[in-house]
Amino acid sequence: MTSTPQLKLKNAEVKVYSNLDLLAHAAATLLSHRLSSAKGDIAVSLAGGSTPKRLYELLVTPTYLKKIPWKRVHWFWGDERFVPPDDPQSNFSMFKTTVLSHAPVPATNIHPIPTIGLTPKAAADVYTQELQRFHGEKVLSAKNPLFGVVILGLGEDGHTASLFPDSPALKERSSWVTCANLNQAVPRITLTYPALESCHDCLFLVTGSAKRTILRSIFRGEIFPATRLKPQGRCTWLLDQAAVPNS
Ligand code: 6PG
C-alpha cells in the first residue's frame, strides 16, 4: 500500500494499492476486523456493481471465513436494481453467489431490498421498516450508528449507491430509503445520505482505469454525489493503482 500525497480528500483517508487483489485483501481485513471487534449484532451495507466482487469472494476463503462472526453480522444493501433477486443485474444475486452460498449466514441475517410483488415506492417503505426493525429506533443518531460498515463503489459519473447526479434522491434528508431512476428501464431503490452516513466505518472501493477521469475531477475538488456523503465515522477510499489519475 502506498499513500500518494496529492490524493487528498476532506474527511477521508485515501489508500492506494498496486492491484485489485491487494485492495480486496485490505478491504477484507478492515471489514473482518471491524466486524469481529463489534459487540453484539452489527449491520453492513453492501455495495453493488462489479468492484466489490473480489472482496466478497475473499470473505469466504479460509483466512476471513474464520475471522467473521457470521452469527452476529446482518447484511443489508445500499441499493438495488428493481429486478427479481435471481436476475444477473441484481446486487443481491451477486452477493448470494459469492458469499451467501458459501458462508454460515443465518437466514434472519440476510436483508435484501424487496423487488418483487411491490412498486418501487412500496419496496422503499418496506425496506425502511426492515432497517428500523433491526436498528430498534425510527430516528438516526450519531451516538448509535445504523451500520458498523458501509461499503460503497463509485460510478464514472460520480454516483454512489443509486444516488445519481441531479437526482431528487440527493435532496432526501428525512427518509432512510428512496427510489431512483423511476423513468428508466430498471428503476433503483437506494439508501439516502442520512442512512448511509450513519456508520462507524465507510469504505469506498474504486478500481480500474475507467475510474481515472472521475477520480481526477474529485481530487481537483469537484463535487459529486459520492463526495457529498459525510459519514459519521471513519471514511476510507481504497483505490488500486489503475484508478489513480496520472496527472
Ligand atoms: C450499483 C452500485 C453502484 C456501483 C457503481 C460502481 O448498484 O451499481 O451500487 O453505485 O457501486 O456504479 O459500479 P462498478 O463497481 O461496477 O464500477
Side-chain angles (χ1 to χ4, degrees):
M1 181 270 287
T2 58
S3 68
T4 312
Q6 70 269 24
L7 301 182
K8 288 201 177 306
L9 284 176
K10 207 157 160 258
N11 305 321
E13 186 181 5
V14 178
K15 295 185 172 188
V16 179
Y17 298 87
S18 312
N19 58 51
L20 168 61
D21 209 57
L22 287 174
L23 180 148
H25 273 284
T29 301
L30 280 166
L31 180 62
S32 56
H33 176 70
R34 162 55 68 183
L35 297 178
S36 55
S37 54
K39 293 193 180 24
D41 287 0
I42 180 168
V44 175
S45 173
L46 294 163
S50 56
T51 300
K53 189 168 184 212
R54 185 62 189 130
L55 162 62
Y56 297 161
E57 289 168 345
L58 285 179
L59 297 184
V60 296
T61 58
T63 305
Y64 302 102
L65 195 66
K66 62 176 184 270
K67 283 184 185 168
I68 293 174
W70 297 98
K71 286 189 172 40
R72 292 194 290 109
V73 183
H74 287 253
W75 305 95
F76 293 86
W77 276 258
D79 72 324
E80 186 57 278
R81 295 86 179 274
F82 206 68
V83 293
D86 58 357
D87 186 298
Q89 295 180 81
S90 163
N91 291 332
F92 169 78
S93 173
M94 190 263 272
F95 193 73
K96 181 181 176 191
T97 306
T98 52
V99 176
L100 299 181
S101 307
H102 307 282
V105 180
T108 49
N109 291 28
I110 305 167
H111 307 271
I113 295 174
T115 58
I116 44 180
L118 291 164
T119 64
K121 176 71 179 76
D125 293 343
V126 165
Y127 207 54
T128 300
Q129 291 158 29
E130 179 88 355
L131 285 163
Q132 292 178 345
R133 195 168 27 252
F134 170 81
H135 193 45
E137 299 181 45
K138 293 194 172 184
V139 178
L140 292 168
S141 69
K143 69 178 187 328
N144 178 23
L146 171 59
F147 293 110
V149 183
V150 167
I151 303 169
L152 290 167
L154 175 71
E156 293 179 45
D157 60 357
H159 80 260
T160 193
S162 286
L163 297 169
F164 292 94
D166 307 320
S167 163
L170 302 181
K171 298 189 181 72
E172 187 50 68
R173 298 297 308 186
S174 53
S175 306
W176 296 19
V177 188
T178 191
C179 307
N181 290 11
L182 286 175
N183 56 352
Q184 311 237 339
V186 178
R188 303 276 193 109
I189 308 295
T190 187
L191 269 58
T192 59
Y193 282 124
L196 291 170
E197 290 169 350
S198 182
C199 62
H200 281 286
D201 274 287
C202 179
L203 305 179
F204 274 95
L205 311 183
V206 188
T207 64
S209 57
K211 304 294 171 73
R212 267 194 204 148
T213 303
I214 185 64
L215 280 177
R216 180 180 294 111
S217 301
I218 286 175
F219 288 119
R220 282 177 176 163
E222 291 178 45
I223 306 296
F224 295 92
T227 56
R228 286 176 55 181
L229 188 90
K230 301 284 176 268
Q232 282 164 1
R234 188 172 41 188
C235 187
T236 309
W237 285 58
L238 294 88
L239 318 179
D240 71 356
Q241 193 60 51
V244 172
N246 39 28
S247 61

